Amino acid sequence: MQIFSKMDIGMVRSSNQDAYFTGEISDGSVFAVVCDGMGGANAGNIASETAVKVISEYVVKSYRTSMKDEDIEKMLNNAILSANIEIYDLSMKNESLSGMGTTAVVALVRNGVAVIAHVGDSRAYLVSDELTQLTRDHSVVQSLLESGKLTPNEAKVHPKKNVITRALGAEENVIADSDIIEIKSGETLLICTDGLSNFAEPSEILDIFKNNKIEDVAELLVSAANKNGGGDNIAVVTITG
């Protein structure tokens, strides 16, 4: 498997509150975690960096080659719960960190199967002949879309499009959504923060994948988001089977 990544501050923000980690496990499995922090001053940075650290360490310590896919799914959910507790406790102990939180997407890929868990509006996509969103945003706009109160075009410019309804650290408990999907040879798992998904159309993302070498794609996706305004931090990870 091939794994590539790129992170950028974007064209507008003065600090980078995104964070990510990628790693390979002893049996050739790979995993990645991408987070987008929120909160004043350094709080967003601390939330995202804490989540990445806790989740990645949990996966490395807990993973066993004998695990079934369902066991891995449970492990990823538990890793997210552990990160939530850590961030929530930090925010309770330090007034300057009060209210901080972060999104999280974590994926482990082995033997043609990806196990994915997420909280918030950072996303996972499957890239083949088309671009398929695998995660459902935990956001106000997503809820309005599903209830028929917004059209997709209205959602793109809605004033609350960045308001999420679930985040690590926001409350004492959090529920992650998770899934197990097949990745065929030549297909790619794309994991990203909303700095990409809000500033690059799905058709543009797909074109970049189709017309470039996979090792160049992450950097080209970041460049596209920046060319389109770069209004947020951008983190991108690609995993190709």
Side-chain angles (χ1 to χ4, degrees), residues 1 17 29-30 34 44 57 63 68 79 82-83 91 105 114 118 123 137 162 171 187 204 213 217:
M1 280 184 288
Q17 296 190 331
S29 303
V30 299
V34 169
E57 288 180 352
Y63 179 75
K68 298 177 181 178
S82 294
S91 70
V105 180
H118 87 287
R123 293 179 178 176
D137 293 349
N162 293 321
E171 298 180 359
E187 293 183 333
E204 185 175 13
K213 296 178 180 178
V217 164

Side-chain angles (χ1 to χ4, degrees), residues 183-205:
I183 296 186
K184 297 175 183 176
S185 177
E187 293 183 333
T188 298
L189 184 69
L190 166 65
I191 306 171
C192 64
T193 57
D194 64 352
L196 176 66
S197 56
N198 282 342
F199 292 90
E201 291 293 327
S203 58
E204 185 175 13
I205 293 172

Side-chain angles (χ1 to χ4, degrees), residues 75-132:
M75 177 188 69
L76 298 186
N77 277 288
N78 286 338
I80 285 175
L81 292 177
S82 294
N84 183 72
I85 292 168
E86 182 82 12
I87 297 164
Y88 181 79
D89 286 350
L90 283 172
S91 70
M92 291 294 102
K93 293 174 183 176
N94 188 331
E95 189 174 338
S96 68
L97 302 179
S98 178
M100 73 174 176
T102 183
T103 69
V105 180
V106 57
L108 191 147
V109 183
R110 66 170 189 179
N111 301 328
V113 173
V115 185
I116 303 164
H118 87 287
V119 170
D121 64 354
S122 295
R123 293 179 178 176
Y125 294 90
L126 182 65
V127 187
S128 54
D129 292 331
E130 55 187 11
L131 185 72
T132 304

Side-chain angles (χ1 to χ4, degrees), residues 24-177:
E24 183 173 342
I25 306 176
S26 57
D27 65 350
S29 303
V30 299
F31 77 95
V33 53
V34 169
C35 296
D36 179 0
M38 64 208 75
N42 294 337
N45 302 26
I46 292 171
S48 60
E49 290 168 6
T50 299
V52 166
K53 181 176 184 292
V54 172
I55 291 169
S56 58
E57 288 180 352
Y58 192 104
V59 171
V60 169
K61 291 177 181 177
S62 303
Y63 179 75
R64 301 289 183 271
T65 57
S66 59
M67 282 180 162
K68 298 177 181 178
D69 294 337
E70 292 76 14
D71 298 327
I72 294 173
E73 185 177 22
K74 186 180 294 184
M75 177 188 69
L76 298 186
N77 277 288
N78 286 338
I80 285 175
L81 292 177
S82 294
N84 183 72
I85 292 168
E86 182 82 12
I87 297 164
Y88 181 79
D89 286 350
L90 283 172
S91 70
M92 291 294 102
K93 293 174 183 176
N94 188 331
E95 189 174 338
S96 68
L97 302 179
S98 178
M100 73 174 176
T102 183
T103 69
V105 180
V106 57
L108 191 147
V109 183
R110 66 170 189 179
N111 301 328
V113 173
V115 185
I116 303 164
H118 87 287
V119 170
D121 64 354
S122 295
R123 293 179 178 176
Y125 294 90
L126 182 65
V127 187
S128 54
D129 292 331
E130 55 187 11
L131 185 72
T132 304
Q133 185 176 332
L134 301 174
T135 51
R136 173 192 174 274
D137 293 349
H138 301 138
S139 68
V140 169
V141 163
Q142 183 64 33
S143 297
L144 292 171
L145 271 170
E146 291 173 358
S147 65
K149 295 179 180 177
L150 282 183
T151 66
N153 284 334
E154 289 171 337
K156 291 178 183 178
V157 295
H158 196 277
K160 292 187 177 180
K161 72 174 184 176
N162 293 321
V163 178
I164 61 175
T165 54
R166 272 188 237 176
L168 298 192
E171 298 180 359
E172 192 170 1
N173 297 298
V174 71
I175 298 173
D177 288 347

